[in-house]
Structures are given as structure tokens and as C-alpha cells.
Amino acid sequence: MSEPTTTADGSVRYGTLTWVPALQRPDLLAEPVRAALAALEQTDRVHVAEIDPGLADTAAMTEAYELPLEASVNCVLVAGKRAGEERVAACAVRATTRADVNSTVRRLLDVRKASFWPTDRAVETSGMEYGGITPVGLPAEWRLLVDAAVAGEPVIVGSGVRRSKLLLPGEVLLALPGAESVEGLGLAAD
């Protein structure tokens, strides 16, 4: 995987994009993401780049901006019920994999069946736009399951809005409040 390069002005070049420290561009962040970054100790390691919102979907974005697909991390919201209580998890896995919802996530949530949340509910409850949902800034009561495979590499995640993406080291993603590193959360995509 190609590596981001830092420029003299503190911005980062990765693919064809220039990434700036995320809090310098709050206009490119959903409010829950901005608030979470402001509270994050390693906020200086998180960068944001503006993109065409029509290219927010992973495949289109990586191709258009010459970014490695394996750097992208998708965040999906999953829930199941146990004894009438809904249990919610955000699952962050590399774009080259898919979240193991039917086995790993179901077992971790201790539910009989785990399902992806409908788009409208995910958007409303997260406070983020579809195509921009990110592990950064999600409600504290949700479990944040992060595939252990994201550690040690740069990752690209949503910013809460479709018009930008965040770039951060995988270990920063794993250090988010409540994040749980899960071996094998991401299965090879078919």
C-alpha cells in the first residue's frame, strides 16, 4: 500500500488529494464527528480532504482519487435484540472485506440474529449522512467493533458527510473511546 506523505505546511498528500488537519476544516465534518475529534488526544494525526459527494462510495472514491482500496475502512451499523433490548454495534472493516455479521458480530452482541440497520434509521440516529457514516463520533452506548487488521496502516473513513473523508493511522481508530479490536471481524469479500 502506498504511504501518505507530509508536506512542509503540515498537510498530507495521499492519492491525488491534499489532506489537512481535520479540525482546521470543521465545515467538512458532521457535528458529532467534529465534537469527537475535539475531544480526541491524537487529533493532530487526523486529516480531512474534500471530495466530490457523488464519489463518496468507496469504489468510486478510490478510483477517482487514486487511493488504494485496502486503505478504505467501511463502517456499518448492525443491531439485534436480546430479551427485548436492542443491542447496536458499529463495525469498521477494510473495504476489501465484509463484516462477519452472521457469526462474529452476532456472537459479540449475544443475540440470535444481527441485521444491518436500515439506511434512514442509521442516518437519523448517527447524525451523519449516508455514505459518510464513520466510527468517529458515534453514540457512546453503541459498541464499536474494529477489525484488528486496520492497525498499523493508514485508513480512510467517512467524515459524517459525503463531501469529505478522514485519513488517520489505524491505531488511532483502534484508540477511539470504546473501540474493541476484533480478530477476524472482516471476512474476505466474495
Side-chain angles (χ1 to χ4, degrees):
M1 180 175 355
S2 63
E3 291 294 319
T5 55
T6 304
T7 63
D9 66 0
S11 63
V12 172
R13 291 287 301 168
Y14 195 38
T16 60
L17 295 171
T18 298
W19 306 75
V20 298
L23 291 177
Q24 286 183 9
R25 291 293 311 270
D27 59 305
L28 295 178
L29 308 171
E31 181 52 33
V33 175
R34 190 209 54 74
L37 288 176
L40 189 66
E41 286 184 23
Q42 300 182 59
T43 192
D44 61 318
R45 299 179 72 194
V46 181
H47 291 78
V48 67
E50 188 167 10
I51 64 167
D52 178 337
L55 300 172
D57 294 333
T58 303
M61 188 233 2
T62 56
E63 182 178 339
Y65 299 109
E66 300 176 21
L67 295 161
L69 181 61
E70 60 272 14
S72 287
V73 169
N74 293 328
C75 182
V76 295
L77 302 180
V78 178
K81 286 190 178 181
R82 176 72 161 210
E85 170 199 359
E86 184 174 48
R87 299 174 181 191
V88 181
C91 304
V93 297
R94 289 214 181 264
T96 53
T97 66
R98 61 181 174 78
D100 183 11
V101 173
N102 294 323
S103 182
T104 303
V105 177
R106 183 187 56 74
R107 182 177 38 77
L108 289 168
L109 288 178
D110 191 25
V111 295
R112 272 191 222 179
K113 181 181 178 194
S115 302
F116 294 104
W117 258 12
T119 303
D120 57 341
R121 186 164 184 214
V123 167
E124 179 182 336
T125 310
S126 69
M128 300 178 197
E129 296 176 3
Y130 178 73
I133 294 177
T134 180
V136 181
L138 291 173
E141 62 271 14
W142 295 355
R143 291 184 71 179
L144 175 53
L145 308 176
V146 181
D147 192 344
V150 306
E153 300 288 339
V155 298
I156 299 167
V157 296
S159 63
V161 296
R162 290 184 62 86
R163 66 184 180 280
S164 64
K165 294 291 182 180
L166 296 176
L167 173 66
L168 61 154
E171 61 267 14
V172 173
L173 191 64
L174 286 164
L176 289 173
E180 302 171 47
S181 178
V182 180
E183 289 289 337
L185 179 62
L187 297 175
D190 296 332

